[in-house]
Amino acid sequence: MTANILVVEDEAAIRELIVYNLQQAGYATVCADSAEQALHRIHDALPDLILLDWMLPVMSGVDLARTLRRNERTRLIPIIMLTARTEEGDKVRGLEVGADDYVTKPFSPRELIARINAVLRRLIPEASGEVVEIDGLKLDPGNHRVTSDDLEISLGPTEYRLLHFMMTHTERVYSRGQLLDRVWGDHVFVEDRTVDVHIRRLRKALQIAGKENWIQTVRGAGYRFSTSEE
Ligand code: CA
């Protein structure tokens, strides 16, 4: 799964430089030139990570970070602050309002990408390229193959992303809205029952391996990946 990164930066030249480098590194990007525009973008689709400039024209990056952390839907989005400030107190303040890391301007593109990779690996495991294996069920993001004890499981792209997310977030219940946000990146324009359709297809595909019960329905709450029977 390609991580989708929201770049919030009011200076066009810096924004374009960042976007160019992110795309070269294989990331998908969305841009905003203000905190207000960023909120619109986030409303439309939840990004996997936000690169957030500290100094923005109206609402500051720090205020935006604080706002996102207070909101149930957005509080877990990883945030990397971009700051021209180097004083220790400002770094601490950035981390206090909920940034997961910060990069000081001017930065090298290579450093920026390394920091993004590290935060994603830590916080959004499904966006990293690592193989996931649970009790014989193996998902390899390198070649998009899913196997169960060497038996090939054929999945459509959405079922694949859904399984990838669920295998990297086991034993936790996710509502349809949360799955839309995290797997589809969109809770506004996609209907809840779309999730049910793809869950059904995923279970059907897992039947060949006898693992369809690992995708569990939690009545009134959503879905959970678990290898233990209820
Ligand atoms: Ca700025």
Side-chain angles (χ1 to χ4, degrees), residues 144-193:
H144 281 226
R145 277 183 73 203
V146 178
T147 51
S148 174
D149 301 315
D150 297 325
L151 188 69
E152 181 97 27
I153 294 177
S154 173
L155 296 176
T158 303
E159 286 72 53
Y160 170 84
R161 286 205 308 277
L162 190 55
L163 181 64
H164 197 179
F165 176 78
M166 294 186 94
M167 285 180 76
T168 48
H169 298 80
T170 62
E171 307 296 339
R172 272 149 66 185
V173 183
Y174 288 90
S175 69
R176 290 168 178 81
Q178 286 172 324
L179 288 172
L180 285 174
D181 268 336
R182 299 296 298 272
V183 177
W184 278 257
D186 186 341
H187 78 134
V188 182
F189 301 109
V190 186
E191 286 181 62
D192 277 9
R193 60 168 186 207

Side-chain angles (χ1 to χ4, degrees), residues 7 14 27 48 76 91-92 98 100 107 117 122 141-142 162 224:
V7 180
I14 299 178
Y27 289 118
D48 293 304
L76 295 177
K91 286 179 184 172
V92 170
D100 298 288
F107 49 81
N117 288 342
R122 183 156 56 89
L162 190 55
R224 169 178 60 206

Side-chain angles (χ1 to χ4, degrees), residues 8-11 14 53-57 105:
V8 191
E9 164 65 77
D10 58 317
E11 281 165 79
I14 299 178
D53 186 31
W54 180 298
M55 299 296 282
L56 292 168
K105 291 180 188 173

Side-chain angles (χ1 to χ4, degrees), residues 75-225:
R75 70 189 171 84
L76 295 177
I77 306 174
I79 296 174
I80 297 180
M81 295 285 296
L82 297 175
T83 171
R85 304 169 180 225
T86 50
E87 294 88 355
E88 202 54 39
D90 287 336
K91 286 179 184 172
V92 170
R93 207 173 131 220
L95 294 175
E96 267 174 3
V97 298
D100 298 288
D101 201 356
Y102 56 86
V103 175
T104 307
K105 291 180 188 173
F107 49 81
S108 75
R110 182 194 286 232
E111 184 200 352
L112 182 66
I113 300 293
R115 302 293 273 277
I116 291 172
N117 288 342
V119 168
L120 284 175
R121 224 172 10 248
R122 183 156 56 89
L123 299 174
I124 312 283
E126 74 275 20
S128 86
E130 282 160 31
V131 172
V132 197
E133 183 161 12
I134 298 173
D135 288 1
L137 184 65
K138 186 171 154 190
L139 182 147
D140 185 346
N143 54 19
H144 281 226
R145 277 183 73 203
V146 178
T147 51
S148 174
D149 301 315
D150 297 325
L151 188 69
E152 181 97 27
I153 294 177
S154 173
L155 296 176
T158 303
E159 286 72 53
Y160 170 84
R161 286 205 308 277
L162 190 55
L163 181 64
H164 197 179
F165 176 78
M166 294 186 94
M167 285 180 76
T168 48
H169 298 80
T170 62
E171 307 296 339
R172 272 149 66 185
V173 183
Y174 288 90
S175 69
R176 290 168 178 81
Q178 286 172 324
L179 288 172
L180 285 174
D181 268 336
R182 299 296 298 272
V183 177
W184 278 257
D186 186 341
H187 78 134
V188 182
F189 301 109
V190 186
E191 286 181 62
D192 277 9
R193 60 168 186 207
T194 305
V195 176
D196 303 336
V197 170
H198 290 282
I199 288 277
R200 215 154 40 229
R201 284 188 198 157
L202 177 56
R203 279 192 183 129
K204 194 159 179 232
L206 290 173
Q207 258 172 14
I208 188 175
K211 294 184 159 95
E212 68 276 16
N213 294 334
W214 288 6
I215 310 291
Q216 302 172 353
T217 303
V218 181
R219 211 161 280 285
Y223 296 105
R224 169 178 60 206
F225 184 100

